[in-house]
């Protein structure tokens, strides 16, 4: 956490003026502080544990903002303060959530726009490792990432045997068919996107940028797009299908059947890791029970049955 003294010093060093007042504080995986400086500038300062990948995330965000994509413009690069990475971006307020019963197509079209406008992975700093919930491509030898975003080692967690069995198939499939690697957003949840009517107003959470095969990016988003909170279930089979199909309409190329299968496989990874996390936490079984009723159909669509 960045205390008030460190925050004031950081703003003076990197934004060129002292803090006049705090606008807000919030955060989940990172600390987010809104500040107004004596210069009149309003900024959002983000603080999280040091991760080299954040430098690449900021570069992607800056490139997309420069290309006219609706995202906050970075005001600094990724700076290190002790064991923290600290950045700042412009304040973009207003906009509203779109009800998910309006369908997946607007979310799929916006993701296609992002992928098309993003720089090539080689043009930015390394974006590895992917966030754990999108981390089927983690470098370790074990099935799950060593630690998830909550600091849990899911490899040590008991869950129904079909969860790990399905995850092994997903990981083996996606690792064996790398495809065309692109830059995308690994946390494409409704809660991270604001709209003005039918027009996208702003996309948040750029720490979740990933460099993965396009089919995997689409599949992850297809599972996550309706979620408006941390405990919300993933997309239904029908919602996932609507997203994957919708994305292809806005893609700049024809998709191979194998890519569609890979997208379904990647969408399953999200559901499986959420189910595993639910088992780790005890209590509810919403993710586990929901996925158990769909697992065979999802495996079939991914050609993993």
């Amino acid at each position: 956490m960045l205390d008030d003294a460190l925050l004031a010093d950081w703003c003076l060093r990197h934004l060129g003026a002292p803090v006049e007042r705090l606008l807000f504080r919030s955060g989940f995986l990172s600390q987010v502080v809104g500040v107004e400086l004596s210069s009149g500038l309003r900024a959002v300062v983000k603080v999280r544990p040091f991760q080299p990948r954040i430098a690449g995330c900021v570069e992607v965000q800056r490139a997309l903002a420069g290309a006219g994509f609706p995202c906050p413009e970075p005001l600094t690069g990724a700076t290190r303060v002790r064991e923290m990475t600290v950045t700042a971006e412009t304040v973009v307020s207003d906009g509203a959530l779109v009800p998910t019963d309006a369908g997946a197509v607007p979310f799929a079209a916006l993701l296609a726009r992002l992928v098309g406008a993003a720089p090539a992975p080689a043009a930015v700093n390394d974006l590895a490792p992917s966030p754990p919930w999108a981390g089927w491509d983690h470098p370790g030898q074990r099935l799950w990432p060593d630690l998830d975003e909550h600091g849990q080692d899911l490899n040590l967690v008991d869950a129904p045997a079909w969860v790990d069995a399905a995850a092994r198939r997903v990981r083996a499939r996606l690792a064996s068919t790398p495809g065309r690697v692109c830059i995308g957003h690994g946390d494409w949840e409704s809660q991270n996107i604001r709209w003005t009517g039918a027009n996208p107003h702003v996309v948040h959470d750029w720490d979740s940028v990933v460099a993965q095969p396009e089919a995997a990016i689409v599949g992850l988003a297809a599972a996550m797009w309706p979620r408006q909170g941390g405990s919300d279930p993933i997309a239904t089979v029908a919602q996932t299908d609507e997203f994957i199909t919708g994305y292809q309409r806005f893609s700049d190329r024809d998709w191979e059947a194998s890519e569609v299968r890979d997208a379904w496989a990647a969408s399953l990874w999200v559901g499986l890791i959420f189910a595993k996390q639910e088992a780790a936490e005890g209590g509810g079984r919403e993710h586990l029970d929901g996925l158990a009723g769909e697992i065979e159909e999802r495996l079939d669509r991914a050609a993993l049955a």
Side-chain angles (χ1 to χ4, degrees):
M1 302 292 283
L2 204 65
D3 62 30
D4 288 348
L6 278 176
L7 175 66
D9 179 69
W10 188 89
C11 288
L12 186 59
R13 287 173 179 268
H14 296 281
L15 297 176
V19 175
E20 186 76 20
R21 65 188 179 106
L22 295 182
L23 302 175
F24 59 83
R25 279 187 192 269
S26 64
F28 173 52
L29 299 180
S30 60
Q31 180 188 16
V32 181
V33 185
V35 296
E36 183 175 309
L37 306 182
S38 63
S39 63
L41 176 69
R42 290 187 168 200
V44 176
V45 179
K46 294 187 175 183
V47 187
R48 58 293 230 186
F50 176 73
Q51 301 177 69
R53 69 180 304 275
I54 298 300
C57 294
V58 174
E59 290 170 1
V60 171
Q61 184 180 352
R62 178 173 287 110
L64 286 168
F69 189 83
C71 62
E73 181 180 1
L75 297 171
T76 69
T79 69
R80 185 166 184 173
V81 179
R82 299 176 182 172
E83 295 306 312
M84 300 172 285
T85 300
V86 186
T87 60
E89 64 186 32
T90 56
V91 176
V92 181
S93 54
D94 300 325
L97 294 173
V98 166
T100 55
D101 58 11
V105 171
F107 296 90
L110 184 59
L111 181 65
R113 177 180 166 189
L114 187 161
V115 170
V124 300
N125 275 285
D126 191 3
L127 293 166
S130 300
W133 62 87
W136 60 267
D137 58 347
H138 71 87
Q141 296 302 309
R142 299 191 297 168
L143 176 59
W144 304 101
D146 288 340
L147 294 176
D148 71 1
E149 66 272 23
H150 306 294
Q152 305 172 112
D153 185 348
L154 298 179
N155 296 284
L156 305 179
V157 173
D158 289 329
W162 59 264
V163 175
D164 281 6
R168 285 192 190 93
R169 294 186 214 175
V170 167
R171 193 166 184 230
R173 158 67 68 74
L174 294 177
S176 66
T177 56
R180 184 175 72 111
V181 176
C182 304
I183 284 177
H185 195 296
D187 197 14
W188 200 248
E189 296 186 343
S190 173
Q191 65 174 333
N192 288 326
I193 306 171
R194 297 293 185 274
W195 305 76
T196 302
N199 298 313
H201 179 64
V202 63
V203 177
H204 293 294
D205 188 15
W206 291 94
D207 285 6
S208 296
V209 170
V210 295
Q212 292 187 357
E214 186 176 11
I217 292 170
V218 173
L220 294 167
M224 301 181 80
W225 74 267
R227 287 167 44 89
Q228 296 187 350
S231 62
D232 286 355
I234 65 168
T236 64
V237 169
Q239 288 174 321
T240 304
D241 182 66
E242 183 185 8
F243 190 101
I244 294 172
T245 301
Y247 183 94
Q248 293 173 72
R249 286 172 45 197
F250 297 96
S251 180
D252 61 359
R253 62 188 182 85
D254 294 331
W255 273 42
E256 301 288 341
S258 61
E259 292 180 289
V260 177
R261 293 194 293 267
D262 285 352
W264 277 99
S267 75
L268 186 51
W269 175 268
V270 177
L272 292 166
I273 199 168
F274 287 168
K276 192 80 171 183
Q277 288 174 326
E278 193 173 67
E281 295 161 3
R285 290 179 54 94
E286 183 176 5
H287 291 296
L288 278 165
D289 290 345
L291 193 56
E294 298 179 340
I295 188 64
E296 294 304 324
E297 182 173 1
R298 290 182 180 275
L299 287 170
D300 183 65
R301 289 184 180 241
L304 293 172

